[in-house]
Amino acid sequence: MTAETLTLGKAINTGLRKAMENDPKVLVMGEDVGKLGGVFRITDGLQKDFGEERVIDTPLAESGIVGTAIGLALRGYRPVVEIQFDGFVFPAADQIITQLAKMRMRSLGALELPVVIRIPCGGGIGAVEHHSESPEAYFTHTAGLRVVACSNPADAFTMIQQSIASPDPVVFFEPKRRYWDKADVDVDSSDWTAFDAARVVRPGDHATVLAYGPSVKTCLEAAAAAAEDGRSLEVIDLRSLNPLDMDAVAASVDRTGRCVVVHEAPVFNGYGAELAARVTERCFYRLEAPVLRVGGFSTPYPPSRLEDHYLPDLDRILDAVDRTFAW
């Protein structure tokens, strides 16, 4: 085991570097990803080491970036696109939803589209409008895309490489407020958790808490606080949003009988609604209470001075847990 202490951002950088070393067809492209190394420095040093033909600074044109990536993938390359901020992905939505997601089905499986779209997501860094969105539901609703979200440095390192190796297009969400979190990462191991598998990150017996991306750490903090009151919460990091590891979710809820879903996106028509429906369908006779959701409010993301009131925090999660026990 070769463990290195890496931030989540550096773990993605290291994973990108490994993928580029192993396959000369892997390209990185996006706004300021080259000399600058990206606004969060995730691609720092890659252009210096792999050259301007493999780490490509693009114009400020997200639709053009993704459209070019699709063409490169059709010519045998494996492009990794960086969208600078979550709110900037919408100009590329037509290319992603109308073209990228559908080409494999359109060709009856003859064409592979190994395109990775990296999107820093979520709030919590005091950013301005359009820089703190959680657009995952738009893409999980689009058949033909894999959608994943890492929550810690070890998963960031492995999942970016699994995404690049996938023959399918992958939307890769990166929790930007966790970019500076550190952990030991085994950079030489190939014993990785399956790409589409959820993981129990804290075992428990009294209620199941489902989360992904930036919310996982908040839920772990809530579980630690609940333990002081004698409640044992099982926290599951979903990791893959589409496909969803429903067997892992159902196995937990069947045992605990209670389920709380947490995400930063607005609750109304959010990804949690799909989770609640599926848990209810699979675990109906085991549930002791309705599935509850904790998330953002049905408003545009607020100015940064108000985001602490908008984002799910420890108190709101514990309140939902309390309400599941009121039934």
mmCIF file of all heavy atoms in Angstrom, residues 188-234:
data_model
loop_
_atom_site.group_PDB
_atom_site.id
_atom_site.type_symbol
_atom_site.label_atom_id
_atom_site.label_comp_id
_atom_site.label_asym_id
_atom_site.label_seq_id
_atom_site.Cartn_x
_atom_site.Cartn_y
_atom_site.Cartn_z
ATOM 1 N N ASP A 188 -1.735 3.253 -5.274
ATOM 2 C CA ASP A 188 -1.265 2.106 -6.053
ATOM 3 C C ASP A 188 -2.246 0.943 -6.073
ATOM 4 O O ASP A 188 -2.094 0.017 -6.868
ATOM 5 C CB ASP A 188 0.077 1.597 -5.492
ATOM 6 C CG ASP A 188 1.215 2.558 -5.809
ATOM 7 O OD1 ASP A 188 1.103 3.278 -6.815
ATOM 8 O OD2 ASP A 188 2.182 2.593 -5.039
ATOM 9 N N SER A 189 -3.249 0.971 -5.207
ATOM 10 C CA SER A 189 -4.177 -0.152 -5.122
ATOM 11 C C SER A 189 -5.100 -0.186 -6.350
ATOM 12 O O SER A 189 -5.483 0.848 -6.891
ATOM 13 C CB SER A 189 -5.034 -0.041 -3.857
ATOM 14 O OG SER A 189 -6.030 -1.047 -3.856
ATOM 15 N N SER A 190 -5.438 -1.391 -6.766
ATOM 16 C CA SER A 190 -6.452 -1.560 -7.807
ATOM 17 C C SER A 190 -7.696 -2.245 -7.238
ATOM 18 O O SER A 190 -8.587 -2.638 -7.988
ATOM 19 C CB SER A 190 -5.883 -2.381 -8.976
ATOM 20 O OG SER A 190 -5.420 -3.639 -8.503
ATOM 21 N N ASP A 191 -7.739 -2.395 -5.910
ATOM 22 C CA ASP A 191 -8.877 -3.017 -5.243
ATOM 23 C C ASP A 191 -9.914 -1.928 -4.953
ATOM 24 O O ASP A 191 -10.038 -1.433 -3.831
ATOM 25 C CB ASP A 191 -8.423 -3.704 -3.943
ATOM 26 C CG ASP A 191 -9.569 -4.436 -3.257
ATOM 27 O OD1 ASP A 191 -10.570 -4.722 -3.946
ATOM 28 O OD2 ASP A 191 -9.465 -4.701 -2.044
ATOM 29 N N TRP A 192 -10.654 -1.548 -5.986
ATOM 30 C CA TRP A 192 -11.570 -0.426 -5.899
ATOM 31 C C TRP A 192 -13.012 -0.908 -5.697
ATOM 32 O O TRP A 192 -13.407 -1.967 -6.204
ATOM 33 C CB TRP A 192 -11.520 0.410 -7.184
ATOM 34 C CG TRP A 192 -10.193 1.048 -7.442
ATOM 35 C CD1 TRP A 192 -9.141 1.159 -6.576
ATOM 36 C CD2 TRP A 192 -9.775 1.659 -8.669
ATOM 37 N NE1 TRP A 192 -8.110 1.812 -7.185
ATOM 38 C CE2 TRP A 192 -8.450 2.125 -8.449
ATOM 39 C CE3 TRP A 192 -10.380 1.861 -9.909
ATOM 40 C CZ2 TRP A 192 -7.736 2.791 -9.451
ATOM 41 C CZ3 TRP A 192 -9.670 2.520 -10.905
ATOM 42 C CH2 TRP A 192 -8.363 2.982 -10.673
ATOM 43 N N THR A 193 -13.788 -0.098 -4.990
ATOM 44 C CA THR A 193 -15.231 -0.345 -4.912
ATOM 45 C C THR A 193 -15.822 -0.234 -6.311
ATOM 46 O O THR A 193 -15.412 0.619 -7.109
ATOM 47 C CB THR A 193 -15.894 0.692 -3.987
ATOM 48 O OG1 THR A 193 -15.294 0.597 -2.689
ATOM 49 C CG2 THR A 193 -17.387 0.457 -3.878
ATOM 50 N N ALA A 194 -16.779 -1.115 -6.614
ATOM 51 C CA ALA A 194 -17.410 -1.088 -7.941
ATOM 52 C C ALA A 194 -17.956 0.301 -8.253
ATOM 53 O O ALA A 194 -18.439 1.014 -7.365
ATOM 54 C CB ALA A 194 -18.522 -2.125 -8.009
ATOM 55 N N PHE A 195 -17.874 0.680 -9.518
ATOM 56 C CA PHE A 195 -18.216 2.038 -9.941
ATOM 57 C C PHE A 195 -19.649 2.407 -9.568
ATOM 58 O O PHE A 195 -19.934 3.555 -9.216
ATOM 59 C CB PHE A 195 -18.017 2.117 -11.454
ATOM 60 C CG PHE A 195 -18.070 3.499 -12.034
ATOM 61 C CD1 PHE A 195 -17.649 4.604 -11.308
ATOM 62 C CD2 PHE A 195 -18.521 3.692 -13.326
ATOM 63 C CE1 PHE A 195 -17.691 5.878 -11.849
ATOM 64 C CE2 PHE A 195 -18.567 4.950 -13.876
ATOM 65 C CZ PHE A 195 -18.152 6.044 -13.134
ATOM 66 N N ASP A 196 -20.565 1.470 -9.662
ATOM 67 C CA ASP A 196 -21.976 1.786 -9.441
ATOM 68 C C ASP A 196 -22.485 1.289 -8.087
ATOM 69 O O ASP A 196 -23.691 1.122 -7.901
ATOM 70 C CB ASP A 196 -22.837 1.225 -10.562
ATOM 71 C CG ASP A 196 -22.615 -0.261 -10.780
ATOM 72 O OD1 ASP A 196 -21.812 -0.850 -10.020
ATOM 73 O OD2 ASP A 196 -23.236 -0.828 -11.694
ATOM 74 N N ALA A 197 -21.569 1.070 -7.143
ATOM 75 C CA ALA A 197 -21.965 0.542 -5.828
ATOM 76 C C ALA A 197 -22.035 1.658 -4.794
ATOM 77 O O ALA A 197 -21.169 2.534 -4.744
ATOM 78 C CB ALA A 197 -20.967 -0.521 -5.370
ATOM 79 N N ALA A 198 -23.086 1.609 -3.947
ATOM 80 C CA ALA A 198 -23.156 2.487 -2.789
ATOM 81 C C ALA A 198 -22.270 1.923 -1.681
ATOM 82 O O ALA A 198 -21.836 0.772 -1.741
ATOM 83 C CB ALA A 198 -24.599 2.616 -2.312
ATOM 84 N N ARG A 199 -22.007 2.759 -0.668
ATOM 85 C CA ARG A 199 -21.155 2.295 0.435
ATOM 86 C C ARG A 199 -21.738 2.761 1.770
ATOM 87 O O ARG A 199 -22.143 3.920 1.906
ATOM 88 C CB ARG A 199 -19.747 2.850 0.291
ATOM 89 C CG ARG A 199 -18.799 2.388 1.423
ATOM 90 C CD ARG A 199 -17.450 3.066 1.390
ATOM 91 N NE ARG A 199 -16.700 2.735 0.212
ATOM 92 C CZ ARG A 199 -16.191 3.623 -0.628
ATOM 93 N NH1 ARG A 199 -16.377 4.917 -0.400
ATOM 94 N NH2 ARG A 199 -15.514 3.256 -1.673
ATOM 95 N N VAL A 200 -21.775 1.830 2.723
ATOM 96 C CA VAL A 200 -22.139 2.204 4.092
ATOM 97 C C VAL A 200 -20.915 2.874 4.718
ATOM 98 O O VAL A 200 -19.889 2.231 4.923
ATOM 99 C CB VAL A 200 -22.563 0.981 4.921
ATOM 100 C CG1 VAL A 200 -22.835 1.389 6.366
ATOM 101 C CG2 VAL A 200 -23.798 0.323 4.310
ATOM 102 N N VAL A 201 -21.018 4.180 5.012
ATOM 103 C CA VAL A 201 -19.862 4.896 5.562
ATOM 104 C C VAL A 201 -19.951 5.010 7.077
ATOM 105 O O VAL A 201 -18.971 5.400 7.722
ATOM 106 C CB VAL A 201 -19.720 6.298 4.931
ATOM 107 C CG1 VAL A 201 -19.309 6.183 3.481
ATOM 108 C CG2 VAL A 201 -21.009 7.095 5.045
ATOM 109 N N ARG A 202 -21.108 4.713 7.636
ATOM 110 C CA ARG A 202 -21.245 4.586 9.101
ATOM 111 C C ARG A 202 -22.380 3.603 9.356
ATOM 112 O O ARG A 202 -23.534 3.872 9.014
ATOM 113 C CB ARG A 202 -21.556 5.934 9.745
ATOM 114 C CG ARG A 202 -21.682 5.846 11.285
ATOM 115 C CD ARG A 202 -22.086 7.173 11.904
ATOM 116 N NE ARG A 202 -22.346 7.019 13.328
ATOM 117 C CZ ARG A 202 -21.553 7.476 14.306
ATOM 118 N NH1 ARG A 202 -20.471 8.157 14.002
ATOM 119 N NH2 ARG A 202 -21.860 7.287 15.588
ATOM 120 N N PRO A 203 -22.084 2.453 9.938
ATOM 121 C CA PRO A 203 -23.147 1.484 10.210
ATOM 122 C C PRO A 203 -24.039 1.944 11.360
ATOM 123 O O PRO A 203 -23.590 2.668 12.256
ATOM 124 C CB PRO A 203 -22.379 0.204 10.566
ATOM 125 C CG PRO A 203 -21.050 0.676 11.047
ATOM 126 C CD PRO A 203 -20.753 1.949 10.315
ATOM 127 N N GLY A 204 -25.283 1.535 11.338
ATOM 128 C CA GLY A 204 -26.221 1.883 12.405
ATOM 129 C C GLY A 204 -27.443 1.006 12.343
ATOM 130 O O GLY A 204 -27.637 0.233 11.392
ATOM 131 N N ASP A 205 -28.304 1.125 13.360
ATOM 132 C CA ASP A 205 -29.436 0.212 13.492
ATOM 133 C C ASP A 205 -30.805 0.883 13.543
ATOM 134 O O ASP A 205 -31.821 0.217 13.328
ATOM 135 C CB ASP A 205 -29.280 -0.615 14.789
ATOM 136 C CG ASP A 205 -28.012 -1.460 14.783
ATOM 137 O OD1 ASP A 205 -27.727 -2.071 13.739
ATOM 138 O OD2 ASP A 205 -27.319 -1.488 15.809
ATOM 139 N N HIS A 206 -30.871 2.179 13.836
ATOM 140 C CA HIS A 206 -32.167 2.794 14.141
ATOM 141 C C HIS A 206 -32.797 3.539 12.968
ATOM 142 O O HIS A 206 -34.019 3.676 12.915
ATOM 143 C CB HIS A 206 -32.019 3.748 15.335
ATOM 144 C CG HIS A 206 -31.595 3.064 16.584
ATOM 145 N ND1 HIS A 206 -30.982 3.713 17.634
ATOM 146 C CD2 HIS A 206 -31.691 1.756 16.955
ATOM 147 C CE1 HIS A 206 -30.729 2.851 18.607
ATOM 148 N NE2 HIS A 206 -31.147 1.652 18.212
ATOM 149 N N ALA A 207 -32.008 4.067 12.060
ATOM 150 C CA ALA A 207 -32.535 4.774 10.887
ATOM 151 C C ALA A 207 -31.440 4.838 9.826
ATOM 152 O O ALA A 207 -30.244 4.839 10.157
ATOM 153 C CB ALA A 207 -32.998 6.197 11.244
ATOM 154 N N THR A 208 -31.868 4.879 8.564
ATOM 155 C CA THR A 208 -30.936 4.981 7.438
ATOM 156 C C THR A 208 -30.935 6.409 6.911
ATOM 157 O O THR A 208 -32.005 6.994 6.697
ATOM 158 C CB THR A 208 -31.347 4.023 6.306
ATOM 159 O OG1 THR A 208 -31.341 2.683 6.805
ATOM 160 C CG2 THR A 208 -30.407 4.141 5.113
ATOM 161 N N VAL A 209 -29.767 6.969 6.694
ATOM 162 C CA VAL A 209 -29.632 8.304 6.109
ATOM 163 C C VAL A 209 -28.926 8.150 4.773
ATOM 164 O O VAL A 209 -27.806 7.623 4.706
ATOM 165 C CB VAL A 209 -28.840 9.251 7.030
ATOM 166 C CG1 VAL A 209 -28.713 10.632 6.385
ATOM 167 C CG2 VAL A 209 -29.512 9.358 8.396
ATOM 168 N N LEU A 210 -29.570 8.599 3.697
ATOM 169 C CA LEU A 210 -29.017 8.494 2.346
ATOM 170 C C LEU A 210 -28.481 9.849 1.917
ATOM 171 O O LEU A 210 -29.182 10.866 2.035
ATOM 172 C CB LEU A 210 -30.085 8.029 1.356
ATOM 173 C CG LEU A 210 -30.816 6.716 1.685
ATOM 174 C CD1 LEU A 210 -31.883 6.434 0.618
ATOM 175 C CD2 LEU A 210 -29.827 5.562 1.753
ATOM 176 N N ALA A 211 -27.261 9.863 1.389
ATOM 177 C CA ALA A 211 -26.658 11.128 0.973
ATOM 178 C C ALA A 211 -25.647 10.860 -0.133
ATOM 179 O O ALA A 211 -25.334 9.698 -0.452
ATOM 180 C CB ALA A 211 -25.974 11.814 2.157
ATOM 181 N N TYR A 212 -25.144 11.934 -0.719
ATOM 182 C CA TYR A 212 -24.103 11.832 -1.750
ATOM 183 C C TYR A 212 -23.385 13.176 -1.824
ATOM 184 O O TYR A 212 -23.895 14.213 -1.375
ATOM 185 C CB TYR A 212 -24.698 11.456 -3.117
ATOM 186 C CG TYR A 212 -25.847 12.331 -3.567
ATOM 187 C CD1 TYR A 212 -25.622 13.502 -4.290
ATOM 188 C CD2 TYR A 212 -27.154 11.997 -3.248
ATOM 189 C CE1 TYR A 212 -26.686 14.304 -4.706
ATOM 190 C CE2 TYR A 212 -28.215 12.797 -3.649
ATOM 191 C CZ TYR A 212 -27.977 13.947 -4.370
ATOM 192 O OH TYR A 212 -29.034 14.744 -4.767
ATOM 193 N N GLY A 213 -22.196 13.149 -2.395
ATOM 194 C CA GLY A 213 -21.433 14.379 -2.604
ATOM 195 C C GLY A 213 -21.189 15.142 -1.306
ATOM 196 O O GLY A 213 -20.801 14.564 -0.285
ATOM 197 N N PRO A 214 -21.437 16.462 -1.328
ATOM 198 C CA PRO A 214 -21.072 17.283 -0.165
ATOM 199 C C PRO A 214 -21.866 16.961 1.089
ATOM 200 O O PRO A 214 -21.418 17.261 2.196
ATOM 201 C CB PRO A 214 -21.362 18.714 -0.641
ATOM 202 C CG PRO A 214 -22.374 18.560 -1.735
ATOM 203 C CD PRO A 214 -22.018 17.271 -2.418
ATOM 204 N N SER A 215 -23.049 16.359 0.943
ATOM 205 C CA SER A 215 -23.905 16.120 2.104
ATOM 206 C C SER A 215 -23.456 14.938 2.959
ATOM 207 O O SER A 215 -23.904 14.799 4.104
ATOM 208 C CB SER A 215 -25.362 15.882 1.647
ATOM 209 O OG SER A 215 -25.874 17.033 1.017
ATOM 210 N N VAL A 216 -22.585 14.087 2.419
ATOM 211 C CA VAL A 216 -22.180 12.898 3.177
ATOM 212 C C VAL A 216 -21.484 13.299 4.475
ATOM 213 O O VAL A 216 -21.788 12.770 5.550
ATOM 214 C CB VAL A 216 -21.267 11.996 2.320
ATOM 215 C CG1 VAL A 216 -20.705 10.855 3.163
ATOM 216 C CG2 VAL A 216 -22.030 11.456 1.120
ATOM 217 N N LYS A 217 -20.558 14.247 4.394
ATOM 218 C CA LYS A 217 -19.837 14.665 5.601
ATOM 219 C C LYS A 217 -20.800 15.268 6.627
ATOM 220 O O LYS A 217 -20.684 14.987 7.829
ATOM 221 C CB LYS A 217 -18.752 15.676 5.233
ATOM 222 C CG LYS A 217 -17.902 16.110 6.414
ATOM 223 C CD LYS A 217 -16.784 17.047 5.985
ATOM 224 C CE LYS A 217 -15.926 17.462 7.179
ATOM 225 N NZ LYS A 217 -14.818 18.368 6.749
ATOM 226 N N THR A 218 -21.744 16.070 6.166
ATOM 227 C CA THR A 218 -22.721 16.662 7.083
ATOM 228 C C THR A 218 -23.538 15.576 7.774
ATOM 229 O O THR A 218 -23.824 15.663 8.973
ATOM 230 C CB THR A 218 -23.653 17.613 6.313
ATOM 231 O OG1 THR A 218 -22.876 18.484 5.490
ATOM 232 C CG2 THR A 218 -24.499 18.444 7.268
ATOM 233 N N CYS A 219 -23.912 14.533 7.019
ATOM 234 C CA CYS A 219 -24.694 13.442 7.613
ATOM 235 C C CYS A 219 -23.877 12.644 8.616
ATOM 236 O O CYS A 219 -24.415 12.178 9.636
ATOM 237 C CB CYS A 219 -25.230 12.529 6.504
ATOM 238 S SG CYS A 219 -26.481 13.313 5.471
ATOM 239 N N LEU A 220 -22.592 12.472 8.350
ATOM 240 C CA LEU A 220 -21.742 11.773 9.320
ATOM 241 C C LEU A 220 -21.647 12.571 10.618
ATOM 242 O O LEU A 220 -21.649 11.993 11.715
ATOM 243 C CB LEU A 220 -20.353 11.550 8.715
ATOM 244 C CG LEU A 220 -20.270 10.471 7.635
ATOM 245 C CD1 LEU A 220 -18.906 10.489 6.958
ATOM 246 C CD2 LEU A 220 -20.534 9.090 8.228
ATOM 247 N N GLU A 221 -21.570 13.891 10.508
ATOM 248 C CA GLU A 221 -21.543 14.724 11.710
ATOM 249 C C GLU A 221 -22.878 14.619 12.460
ATOM 250 O O GLU A 221 -22.901 14.574 13.695
ATOM 251 C CB GLU A 221 -21.254 16.176 11.314
ATOM 252 C CG GLU A 221 -19.846 16.388 10.760
ATOM 253 C CD GLU A 221 -19.651 17.759 10.132
ATOM 254 O OE1 GLU A 221 -20.660 18.481 9.945
ATOM 255 O OE2 GLU A 221 -18.510 18.109 9.805
ATOM 256 N N ALA A 222 -23.973 14.552 11.713
ATOM 257 C CA ALA A 222 -25.280 14.402 12.353
ATOM 258 C C ALA A 222 -25.393 13.047 13.047
ATOM 259 O O ALA A 222 -25.955 12.941 14.146
ATOM 260 C CB ALA A 222 -26.392 14.560 11.301
ATOM 261 N N ALA A 223 -24.853 12.012 12.412
ATOM 262 C CA ALA A 223 -24.904 10.674 13.015
ATOM 263 C C ALA A 223 -24.095 10.634 14.310
ATOM 264 O O ALA A 223 -24.497 9.984 15.287
ATOM 265 C CB ALA A 223 -24.382 9.638 12.024
ATOM 266 N N ALA A 224 -22.963 11.331 14.323
ATOM 267 C CA ALA A 224 -22.163 11.370 15.549
ATOM 268 C C ALA A 224 -22.922 12.082 16.667
ATOM 269 O O ALA A 224 -22.888 11.653 17.835
ATOM 270 C CB ALA A 224 -20.836 12.072 15.263
ATOM 271 N N ALA A 225 -23.623 13.153 16.301
ATOM 272 C CA ALA A 225 -24.407 13.877 17.315
ATOM 273 C C ALA A 225 -25.577 13.029 17.800
ATOM 274 O O ALA A 225 -25.887 13.013 19.008
ATOM 275 C CB ALA A 225 -24.908 15.197 16.727
ATOM 276 N N ALA A 226 -26.234 12.310 16.880
ATOM 277 C CA ALA A 226 -27.366 11.469 17.273
ATOM 278 C C ALA A 226 -26.929 10.354 18.214
ATOM 279 O O ALA A 226 -27.686 9.941 19.107
ATOM 280 C CB ALA A 226 -28.028 10.877 16.021
ATOM 281 N N ALA A 227 -25.709 9.856 18.004
ATOM 282 C CA ALA A 227 -25.211 8.779 18.865
ATOM 283 C C ALA A 227 -25.140 9.223 20.316
ATOM 284 O O ALA A 227 -25.318 8.406 21.234
ATOM 285 C CB ALA A 227 -23.843 8.321 18.373
ATOM 286 N N GLU A 228 -24.879 10.509 20.524
ATOM 287 C CA GLU A 228 -24.814 11.016 21.905
ATOM 288 C C GLU A 228 -26.184 10.953 22.579
ATOM 289 O O GLU A 228 -26.264 10.951 23.816
ATOM 290 C CB GLU A 228 -24.284 12.449 21.905
ATOM 291 C CG GLU A 228 -22.839 12.560 21.398
ATOM 292 C CD GLU A 228 -22.356 13.998 21.357
ATOM 293 O OE1 GLU A 228 -23.127 14.894 21.761
ATOM 294 O OE2 GLU A 228 -21.211 14.216 20.900
ATOM 295 N N ASP A 229 -27.250 10.924 21.751
ATOM 296 C CA ASP A 229 -28.604 10.792 22.300
ATOM 297 C C ASP A 229 -29.096 9.351 22.247
ATOM 298 O O ASP A 229 -30.298 9.091 22.436
ATOM 299 C CB ASP A 229 -29.569 11.690 21.508
ATOM 300 C CG ASP A 229 -29.263 13.168 21.703
ATOM 301 O OD1 ASP A 229 -28.763 13.518 22.784
ATOM 302 O OD2 ASP A 229 -29.515 13.951 20.769
ATOM 303 N N GLY A 230 -28.202 8.449 21.923
ATOM 304 C CA GLY A 230 -28.566 7.038 21.933
ATOM 305 C C GLY A 230 -29.184 6.524 20.653
ATOM 306 O O GLY A 230 -29.711 5.414 20.627
ATOM 307 N N ARG A 231 -29.116 7.323 19.583
ATOM 308 C CA ARG A 231 -29.672 6.868 18.306
ATOM 309 C C ARG A 231 -28.538 6.483 17.358
ATOM 310 O O ARG A 231 -27.586 7.235 17.168
ATOM 311 C CB ARG A 231 -30.532 7.969 17.677
ATOM 312 C CG ARG A 231 -31.898 8.037 18.354
ATOM 313 C CD ARG A 231 -32.798 9.034 17.703
ATOM 314 N NE ARG A 231 -34.112 8.983 18.332
ATOM 315 C CZ ARG A 231 -34.954 9.990 18.361
ATOM 316 N NH1 ARG A 231 -34.634 11.130 17.765
ATOM 317 N NH2 ARG A 231 -36.128 9.851 18.947
ATOM 318 N N SER A 232 -28.705 5.320 16.738
ATOM 319 C CA SER A 232 -27.681 4.773 15.859
ATOM 320 C C SER A 232 -28.132 4.939 14.405
ATOM 321 O O SER A 232 -29.037 4.252 13.940
ATOM 322 C CB SER A 232 -27.466 3.286 16.201
ATOM 323 O OG SER A 232 -26.641 2.678 15.259
ATOM 324 N N LEU A 233 -27.495 5.881 13.685
ATOM 325 C CA LEU A 233 -27.877 6.153 12.304
ATOM 326 C C LEU A 233 -26.907 5.461 11.348
ATOM 327 O O LEU A 233 -25.687 5.549 11.523
ATOM 328 C CB LEU A 233 -27.862 7.665 12.022
ATOM 329 C CG LEU A 233 -28.707 8.549 12.942
ATOM 330 C CD1 LEU A 233 -28.651 9.997 12.461
ATOM 331 C CD2 LEU A 233 -30.142 8.050 13.013
ATOM 332 N N GLU A 234 -27.455 4.801 10.351
ATOM 333 C CA GLU A 234 -26.625 4.216 9.295
ATOM 334 C C GLU A 234 -26.576 5.209 8.132
ATOM 335 O O GLU A 234 -27.617 5.560 7.565
ATOM 336 C CB GLU A 234 -27.192 2.883 8.816
ATOM 337 C CG GLU A 234 -26.348 2.248 7.708
ATOM 338 C CD GLU A 234 -26.420 0.736 7.738
ATOM 339 O OE1 GLU A 234 -25.917 0.141 8.715
ATOM 340 O OE2 GLU A 234 -26.983 0.149 6.795
#
